[in-house]
Amino acid sequence: MQVLEAITQRRSIRRFEDKPVPDDLLWRIIEAGTWAPSAGNMQAWEFVIVKDPQARRKLVDTTDAGTTSRAGVYTQEWIMDAPIVLVVCYDVKRMTARYGQKGRELLTKLDCMLCVQNMLLAATHFGLGTCCVVGFDPPALMKALDIPEEITPILLIPMGYPAEHPQPPYRLPVDDVVRMVL
């Protein structure tokens, strides 16, 4: 799959087949993430891989479905169907040492998002589905999964073989989001 094809084919998947993801694919996806650019090449990202159903249950119990529940479900229960959840974290010490408060508050997060985009596209390339989840309580997640305090969770990526194939979402025309400075 070409990169532009992966960009237009990627979808947020919330239903997964009951089929494990081979470890070699997972490692290749994570490696693709680590090839993302990072400020000062600090590479402040770290990943927690959650496969065990009991650990996934603890993870899901720290999620929220936003300000309104969907059919009375306050957590994001669909995550339980993903055979893998990657918890994307950042290490603020690496960035703060070099970039101070800007590294702590901004650059760590930007770098992680660049890394995540690479992983989402790699997963699409390998026929896997993913979704970015930010609706969770980081301190509760850290406690539930025994994540060390020096790394901070920023995003969850449930991953697996898709059991759905959503239509392309609406995108604003490029002309509506570009301003030319001449």
Side-chain angles (χ1 to χ4, degrees):
M1 181 180 289
Q2 298 294 320
V3 69
L4 292 178
E5 184 182 0
I7 289 169
T8 59
Q9 296 285 323
R10 194 215 59 80
R11 300 285 181 273
S12 293
I13 301 298
R14 292 179 180 84
R15 289 183 42 233
F16 301 93
E17 293 180 6
D18 185 15
K19 179 179 173 184
V21 173
D23 285 343
D24 65 313
L25 283 187
L26 176 60
W27 288 112
R28 290 176 73 186
I29 290 165
I30 293 171
E31 181 182 23
T34 66
W35 280 100
S38 69
N41 198 29
M42 297 303 290
Q43 303 174 55
W45 44 65
E46 292 199 24
F47 311 100
V48 176
I49 299 169
V50 182
K51 289 183 177 183
D52 177 72
Q54 291 175 326
R56 278 200 321 270
R57 167 49 50 209
K58 290 178 184 178
L59 177 147
V60 167
D61 288 345
T62 71
T63 66
D64 63 75
T67 56
T68 60
S69 69
R70 294 179 180 94
V73 177
Y74 292 91
T75 62
Q76 298 198 44
E77 283 297 312
W78 60 270
I79 295 171
M80 285 301 297
D81 294 334
I84 294 173
V85 180
L86 278 180
V87 181
V88 179
C89 304
Y90 59 88
D91 180 342
V92 294
K93 289 179 186 173
R94 275 187 244 168
M95 291 298 261
T96 304
R98 184 163 187 175
Y99 293 106
Q101 201 62 23
K102 184 177 184 179
R104 175 180 291 279
E105 293 177 1
L106 178 64
L107 299 178
T108 52
K109 296 171 184 142
L110 291 175
D111 287 358
C112 283
M113 297 316 297
L114 290 166
C115 175
V116 165
Q117 182 66 18
N118 276 12
M119 290 192 291
L120 299 179
L121 295 176
T124 300
H125 168 79
F126 291 120
L128 297 173
T130 58
C131 189
C132 293
V133 177
V134 296
F136 66 96
D137 179 348
L141 179 67
M142 291 173 71
K143 184 178 179 183
L145 297 182
D146 200 26
I147 295 173
E149 66 181 43
E150 62 269 13
I151 62 173
T152 304
I154 187 172
L155 184 77
L156 308 175
I157 305 175
M159 181 183 305
Y161 290 95
E164 64 179 352
H165 299 281
Q167 292 297 312
Y170 171 76
R171 292 293 185 241
L172 292 169
V174 173
D175 288 346
D176 289 358
V177 296
V178 172
R179 295 179 190 265
M180 296 293 291
V181 177
L182 304 172

